[in-house]
Amino acid sequence: MPKSNTSKKDEKKVASKKSAADGLRELFVDSLKDIYWAEKALTKALPKMAKNATAQNLIDAINNHLAVTEKQVTRLEQVFEIVGEKVAAKKCDAMEGLIKEGEGIVEETESGPVRDAGIIAASQKIEHYEIATYGTLAAFAKTLGEDEAAELLLQTLAEEKEADVTLTEAAYNTINFDAAEAE
C-alpha cells in the first residue's frame, strides 16, 4: 500500500466557530432552525416550479407537495414548542443552493418535457436533502428523549419519502420518455 504524503501530525483540526453547538441538543435545535428556513423557502419556490412545469401530473405533484410543505412548517412549529424552544429560522445554505440550482434549470431549458425532467431532478435533490435531514432530526430527538417531537419528525420524513416516489413515478411514467423524444 503506498504511503501518504501527509502524516497524522500534518493534519489540522478545524476550529469551531464561537456559535458552534456545544452539545447534541444545541445541534438538534440549530438543525430545526435550518430546516424551518428551508421549508419556508420551499413554500415560495414550489409555486414557481409548478408555473414552469408543463406536464399535468408534475404540476399536480408540485401543488400537492406545496400543501404538504405548508403543513410541515406548522408541524415544525409544534416541534419547537414541544422541545421548549422559540420558533426561529436560520438560513439553510444547502436549500438555498438547491433552490438556485432548480431555478437555473428552468432558465436554461425550454418549456416542455426537457424542462419538466429538469424540474423533477431538482425536486428530487431537494427531497433527498429533506429525507436526510428529517431522518437525522428524528434520531436526535429520540436520543434526547423527545419522543413526541420524534414522532412528528418521522411523520414528515414519511411525507418526504412519498413525494420522492411520486416524482420518480412521474419521471418514469411519461416525462423522461417525452424528454428523450423531444431531442
Side-chain angles (χ1 to χ4, degrees):
M1 187 170 195
K3 283 189 173 184
S4 172
N5 289 339
T6 59
S7 69
K8 291 252 186 222
K9 67 180 183 177
D10 291 339
E11 294 175 13
K12 294 186 180 182
K13 282 191 172 182
V14 175
S16 62
K17 295 180 179 181
K18 291 201 184 285
S19 62
D22 288 330
L24 185 61
R25 183 169 183 81
E26 284 182 57
L27 182 60
F28 172 67
V29 171
D30 189 61
S31 298
L32 279 176
K33 292 175 182 178
D34 192 69
I35 197 65
Y36 184 69
W37 185 96
E39 295 290 14
K40 297 279 272 187
L42 280 174
T43 64
K44 295 177 181 89
L46 288 171
K48 294 176 191 173
M49 292 173 124
K51 183 179 176 187
N52 284 286
T54 58
Q56 193 58 52
N57 61 340
L58 178 56
I59 294 167
D60 292 344
I62 294 168
N63 286 329
N64 289 339
H65 195 59
L66 174 59
V68 171
T69 300
E70 290 166 346
K71 290 177 187 170
Q72 291 170 345
V73 168
T74 302
R75 193 176 300 132
L76 280 170
E77 291 166 352
Q78 292 174 314
V79 171
F80 276 105
E81 186 178 320
I82 289 165
V83 300
E85 294 289 334
K86 181 181 157 195
V87 175
K90 176 186 169 195
K91 184 178 175 188
C92 177
D93 294 331
M95 186 60 72
E96 180 184 47
L98 290 168
I99 290 170
K100 281 183 181 178
E101 184 175 336
E103 290 169 349
I105 288 170
V106 168
E107 291 169 7
E108 296 167 8
T109 55
E110 289 186 31
S111 181
V114 173
R115 179 181 285 170
D116 287 351
I119 289 172
I120 289 173
S123 297
Q124 285 193 292
K125 288 179 184 182
I126 289 168
E127 292 308 322
H128 291 195
Y129 175 78
E130 290 177 306
I131 289 166
T133 299
Y134 282 109
T136 299
L137 284 169
F140 286 173
K142 284 181 185 177
T143 302
L144 294 166
E146 296 285 0
D147 294 337
E148 188 179 355
E151 286 304 314
L152 291 175
L153 294 164
L154 287 170
Q155 185 179 346
T156 300
L157 175 61
E159 291 168 348
E160 299 299 0
K161 288 179 178 180
E162 185 178 318
D164 184 51
V165 168
T166 299
L167 290 165
T168 298
E169 288 172 354
Y172 284 124
N173 288 341
T174 57
I175 294 170
N176 285 356
F177 297 105
D178 290 346
E181 291 174 9
E183 293 183 8

